[in-house]
């Protein structure tokens, strides 16, 4: 089940992250294990987790590869070390919907939100190359509830695309 898309305001958020570039079908195998590594790093460095984990897809390549930022919000900006970097998710207006579906169906939820953005005449941040690829964008999947945390037995994920204005 998907909620109706809407525009929401998001505050800036500090976070710790690890970046990977993988073919889209490999995201589910490669990216999720990094969340536990990030949480352990945050705690080891004396930081505090400030929200649910997320994936950001800042780049999609025409060959099917995707850059994935696996992130965990923190209460303060932390000093990066090793494989872990830190940054700030930008504040702003985001097109958003919530998906109460299996993780493997999130691609469809992203497509639905993208189609809504186009119908509404909204402009996403980042750049498009006209070939279906994009770069320098903020396209989030925020994992609000895991399957065991929701009565339906399905995860609850927010899809959120940052708008230009």
């Amino acid at each position: 089940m998907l909620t109706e898309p809407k525009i929401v305001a998001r505050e800036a958020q500090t976070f710790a992250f690890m970046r990977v570039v993988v073919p889209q079908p490999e995201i589910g195998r490669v990216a999720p294990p990094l969340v536990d590594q990030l949480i352990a790093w945050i705690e080891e460095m004396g930081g505090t987790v400030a929200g649910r984990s997320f994936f950001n897809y800042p780049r999609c390549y025409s060959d099917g590869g995707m850059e994935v930022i696996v992130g965990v919000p923190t209460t303060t900006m932390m000093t990066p070390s090793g494989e872990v970097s830190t940054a700030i998710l930008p504040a702003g207006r985001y097109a958003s919907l919530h998906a109460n579906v299996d993780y493997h169906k999130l691609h469809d939820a992203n497509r639905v939100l993208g189609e809504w953005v186009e119908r509404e005449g909204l402009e996403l941040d980042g750049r498009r190359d006209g070939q279906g690829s994009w770069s320098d964008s903020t396209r989030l999947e925020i994992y609000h509830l895991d399957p065991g945390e929701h009565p339906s037995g399905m995860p609850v994920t927010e899809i959120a695309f940052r708008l230009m204005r």
Side-chain angles (χ1 to χ4, degrees):
M1 179 185 89
L2 304 179
T3 63
E4 289 295 318
K6 62 183 177 181
I7 296 175
V8 299
R10 298 185 68 83
E11 298 294 322
Q13 175 65 62
T14 55
F15 68 102
F17 71 94
M18 298 173 84
R19 180 187 320 257
V20 294
V21 176
V22 296
Q24 193 274 334
E26 294 296 309
I27 293 170
R29 183 184 63 77
V30 174
L34 300 179
V35 172
D36 288 338
Q37 291 178 39
L38 284 165
I39 292 170
W41 180 88
I42 291 165
E43 292 171 351
E44 179 180 304
M45 301 302 287
T48 304
V49 172
R52 299 304 291 238
S53 64
F54 63 87
F55 295 171
N56 181 22
Y57 301 96
R59 285 184 180 73
C60 173
Y61 302 99
S62 57
D63 67 0
M66 296 191 76
E67 180 178 332
V68 183
I69 291 176
V70 178
V72 175
T74 56
T75 55
T76 60
M77 179 61 81
M78 299 179 68
T79 303
S81 69
E83 296 178 4
V84 179
S85 298
T86 59
I88 300 174
L89 277 174
R93 291 173 6 117
Y94 286 73
S96 172
L97 64 74
H98 284 77
N100 184 213
V101 298
D102 282 325
Y103 294 123
H104 72 275
K105 294 184 179 177
L106 289 177
H107 182 271
D108 293 334
N110 278 272
R111 180 185 46 75
V112 167
L113 186 58
E115 290 171 354
W116 181 81
V117 164
E118 285 188 32
R119 279 194 312 276
E120 295 295 311
L122 302 170
E123 186 178 352
L124 296 173
D125 74 345
R127 294 175 282 146
R128 292 184 183 198
D129 72 358
Q131 308 278 336
S133 297
W134 68 80
S135 61
D136 303 322
S137 62
T138 306
R139 295 187 177 205
L140 303 171
E141 290 179 354
I142 305 166
Y143 304 103
H144 288 291
L145 295 174
D146 291 329
E149 297 175 307
H150 191 269
S152 70
M154 297 286 180
V156 176
T157 306
E158 179 182 0
I159 311 297
F161 297 166
R162 186 166 184 258
L163 302 172
M164 288 295 288
R165 40 189 171 284

